[in-house]
Amino acid sequence: MSVSETAKRPESRGRSLGLSLAFLLLIGAGVGLAWLGASPLRGETTESGLRIRTVEKGEGPFVQAMDGVLVEYEGRLTDGTVFDDSARHGGAQPMIAGQVIPGFSEALMKMQKGGKYKIHIPGKLAYGESPPPGSPFGPNADLDFDVHIVQIVPNAALMNQGGEIPGQAQQAPQPEATPTP
């Protein structure tokens, strides 16, 4: 067999199959790494279906159910329509963590002072089948919020049985058409 015949020998099918499999494996590994690398952007989904993503990490202890919190927020429907925000009510709003809609309460317990978060609340954890009369969303509507925890007052619910955060001015009653979390 001469050198020219060796050079023209047909390629082995096994070699091209092996290269194809290696190429597919390399692509799969790249997709897997991209998925893992993007997980901080997706955030955490809890067993209840609540999604929470930390935009800016806070500091100190996490909010507890009996804590008062001063919160800046913007609430949106899934189509992006803003239905409520703290700016409409004069700025950061006081609330007791355990006395808001279930999904917002669950999310607050994963937040720290100074932190900024994005949360997605499934309808069953928001207002369920009975949204407030005149609200801009229907039954079982999913809600999205941008939240900034300005201040935490530990055990505020125990200090003031009226449900207000001590040291904060009495807030005007909210119209039922624009429910707050």
Side-chain angles (χ1 to χ4, degrees):
M1 180 190 282
S2 72
V3 176
S4 63
E5 288 178 27
T6 306
K8 294 182 182 182
R9 186 177 294 168
E11 205 175 284
S12 166
R13 287 185 185 252
R15 184 175 179 207
S16 65
L17 179 62
L19 286 173
S20 296
L21 287 175
F23 183 69
L24 288 174
L25 184 63
L26 186 61
I27 289 173
V31 168
L33 285 172
W35 177 261
L36 289 174
S39 64
L41 299 175
R42 286 190 307 276
E44 167 192 357
T45 301
T46 67
E47 288 183 28
S48 67
L50 173 80
R51 274 196 327 252
I52 180 168
R53 180 169 59 100
T54 301
V55 175
E56 188 175 309
K57 188 170 172 24
E59 57 185 36
F62 289 92
V63 174
Q64 301 297 310
M66 299 302 278
D67 292 347
V69 288
L70 196 56
V71 180
E72 292 175 343
Y73 68 89
E74 179 179 84
R76 291 178 310 284
L77 303 175
T78 53
D79 69 1
T81 303
V82 175
F83 67 86
D84 193 19
D85 63 72
S86 56
R88 291 182 192 177
H89 306 291
Q93 294 296 296
M95 56 187 77
I96 301 295
Q99 296 179 358
V100 292
I101 60 174
F104 204 83
S105 180
E106 181 182 346
L108 284 171
M109 313 276 178
K110 297 184 175 293
M111 299 180 184
Q112 298 170 290
K113 179 182 176 184
K116 294 184 180 182
Y117 307 88
K118 289 188 175 288
I119 59 176
H120 174 81
I121 303 174
K124 67 182 180 185
L125 297 176
Y127 292 97
E129 294 191 19
S130 303
S135 63
F137 41 83
N140 293 312
D142 293 350
L143 304 177
D144 295 313
F145 287 90
D146 291 335
V147 178
H148 173 220
I149 304 297
V150 176
Q151 184 68 41
I152 299 174
V153 178
N155 295 313
L158 297 176
M159 292 185 277
N160 185 353
Q161 296 301 318
E164 301 160 22
I165 298 176
Q168 295 295 320
Q170 175 72 25
Q171 298 293 320
Q174 306 296 324
E176 289 191 19
T178 56
T180 58

